[in-house]
């Protein structure tokens, strides 16, 4: 029950974990399937999936979808600091995963209880990126990317456009003093830093990623831009180069 994790009735109508476990069994879902809940609420489905994986060693994954519906200001949830339902669900997943591991430490050492939180938003790109013919020459020299977007925003949009699962392994690496995002063990390398020089480009090309992504204005100088293609052709000609 939700109250077991929060000490009070944070969520009024939480679904029973046991019932959802039975539904997953009835659906004959394999041990590596993805379970999707479009009305996540307090994330009971995520709890049930992690519990099942702990019991049978499965590798099931979950996708929880929930509108950020605001909590009532008089509710226990609001008083506890949860401004919307999504915040309750995220905290429940954290606490449920921790409890499952604490209850069965010997059999849950490899249990994956991690998750990522993604929010639906507009494109990271300015309109000029999609319809350059509709803008004048001055506009074309403006940055393609909206000013309020982070490197992670750019990375996840890139992953979506390339068909890379949003659950893929992501690591940050420092290459010649620049931050490089390594997705799926080198399948995609991306660098959104400014003033990227030939040393960084060369080190990235040496790693021979399938895709390489960078910002249009990342290159340190025109000279680096001129040598960009030559560097990749020498070290990794088959890498698909993408520019935002």
């Amino acid at each position: 029950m939700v109250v077991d994790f929060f000490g009070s009735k944070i969520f009024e109508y939480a679904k029973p974990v046991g019932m959802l476990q039975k539904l997953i069994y009835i659906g004959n879902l394999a041990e590596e399937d993805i379970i999707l809940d479009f009305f996540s609420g307090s994330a009971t489905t995520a709890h049930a999936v992690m519990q099942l994986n702990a019991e049978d060693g499965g590798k099931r994954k979950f996708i929880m979808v929930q509108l950020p519906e605001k909590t009532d200001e008089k509710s226990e949830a609001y008083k506890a600091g949860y401004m919307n339902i999504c915040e309750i669900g995220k905290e429940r997943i954290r606490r449920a995963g921790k409890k499952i591991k604490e209850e069965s430490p010997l059999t849950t050492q490899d249990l994956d209880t991690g998750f990522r939180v993604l929010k639906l938003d507009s494109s990271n790109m300015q309109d000029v990126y999609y319809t350059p013919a509709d803008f004048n020459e001055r506009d074309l020299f403006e940055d393609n990317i909206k000013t309020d977007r982070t490197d992670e925003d750019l990375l996840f949009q890139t992953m979506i456009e390339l068909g890379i699962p949003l659950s893929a392994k992501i690591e940050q690496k420092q290459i010649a003093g620049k931050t490089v995002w390594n997705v799926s063990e080198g399948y995609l390398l991306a660098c959104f830093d400014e003033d990227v020089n030939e040393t960084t480009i060369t080190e990235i090309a040496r790693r021979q990623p399938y895709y390489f992504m960078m910002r249009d204005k990342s290159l340190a100088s025109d000279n680096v831009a001129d040598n960009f293609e030559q560097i990749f052709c020498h070290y990794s000609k088959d890498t698909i180069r993408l520019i935002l």
Side-chain angles (χ1 to χ4, degrees):
M1 294 177 63
V2 178
V3 69
D4 295 336
F5 296 111
F6 296 95
S8 59
K9 198 169 185 180
I10 293 292
F11 197 79
E12 291 291 331
Y13 305 106
K15 299 180 283 290
V17 175
M19 180 191 74
L20 287 172
Q21 286 181 280
K22 289 181 180 179
L23 287 175
I24 294 172
Y25 276 124
I26 291 172
N28 196 29
L29 296 176
E31 293 181 1
E32 294 188 3
D33 278 347
I34 299 174
I35 292 84
L36 170 64
D37 187 345
F38 267 117
F39 300 93
S40 173
S42 65
T44 306
T45 301
H47 184 172
V49 170
M50 291 188 294
Q51 187 67 55
L52 275 175
N53 287 341
E55 293 175 3
D56 64 13
K59 301 292 184 182
R60 303 174 189 85
K61 297 179 181 179
F62 56 79
I63 299 175
M64 302 290 101
V65 182
Q66 176 61 51
L67 293 173
E69 181 181 339
K70 294 182 179 180
T71 53
D72 191 309
E73 293 185 6
K74 297 180 181 179
S75 68
E76 292 296 322
Y78 189 90
K79 294 175 183 177
Y82 302 104
M83 301 296 102
N84 61 61
I85 294 177
C86 297
E87 297 302 319
I88 298 173
K90 288 189 290 184
E91 186 60 23
R92 183 183 183 177
I93 295 173
R94 295 186 189 100
R95 297 191 185 196
K98 181 180 179 182
K99 184 177 181 181
I100 291 169
K101 286 194 168 186
E102 289 176 346
E103 290 178 342
S104 304
L106 298 180
T107 59
T108 59
Q109 294 178 1
D110 297 325
L111 179 66
D112 185 1
T113 59
F115 65 100
R116 288 178 180 151
V117 179
L118 303 172
K119 298 179 181 179
L120 185 63
D121 205 335
S122 61
S123 169
N124 295 314
M125 312 306 293
Q126 303 278 15
D127 291 340
V128 66
Y129 177 80
Y130 296 107
T131 56
D134 296 338
F135 296 84
N136 59 44
E137 293 181 359
R138 180 178 179 181
D139 293 328
L140 293 176
F141 286 96
E142 296 295 326
D143 196 343
N144 288 330
I145 300 168
K146 294 177 181 177
T147 57
D148 62 341
R149 302 309 164 95
T150 67
D151 289 355
E152 283 187 311
D153 293 332
L154 299 178
L155 180 67
F156 278 102
Q157 178 169 334
T158 299
M159 291 170 63
I160 291 172
E161 292 176 348
L162 296 179
I164 300 173
L166 297 180
S167 58
K169 182 179 179 181
I170 300 174
E171 295 179 299
Q172 274 189 356
K173 295 181 177 293
Q174 290 294 312
I175 298 180
K178 301 299 179 182
T179 299
V180 176
W181 300 83
N182 181 357
V183 181
S184 295
E185 305 291 352
Y187 183 71
L188 163 67
L189 295 182
C191 181
F192 306 113
D193 285 0
E194 296 180 355
D195 297 322
V196 176
N197 58 33
E198 291 180 349
T199 302
T200 304
I201 297 298
T202 300
E203 287 303 311
I204 291 171
R206 286 177 183 272
R207 296 168 188 253
Q208 299 184 332
Y210 190 85
Y211 288 108
F212 171 61
M213 167 67 76
M214 69 183 305
R215 296 180 62 150
D216 182 43
K217 295 189 175 182
S218 288
L219 294 174
S221 66
D222 291 340
N223 186 54
V224 178
D226 291 340
N227 293 331
F228 176 84
E229 288 297 329
Q230 294 181 21
I231 292 171
F232 266 95
C233 286
H234 180 73
Y235 291 104
S236 185
K237 64 182 178 64
D238 292 329
T239 293
I240 300 173
R241 283 87 79 183
L242 306 169
I243 306 295
L244 284 177

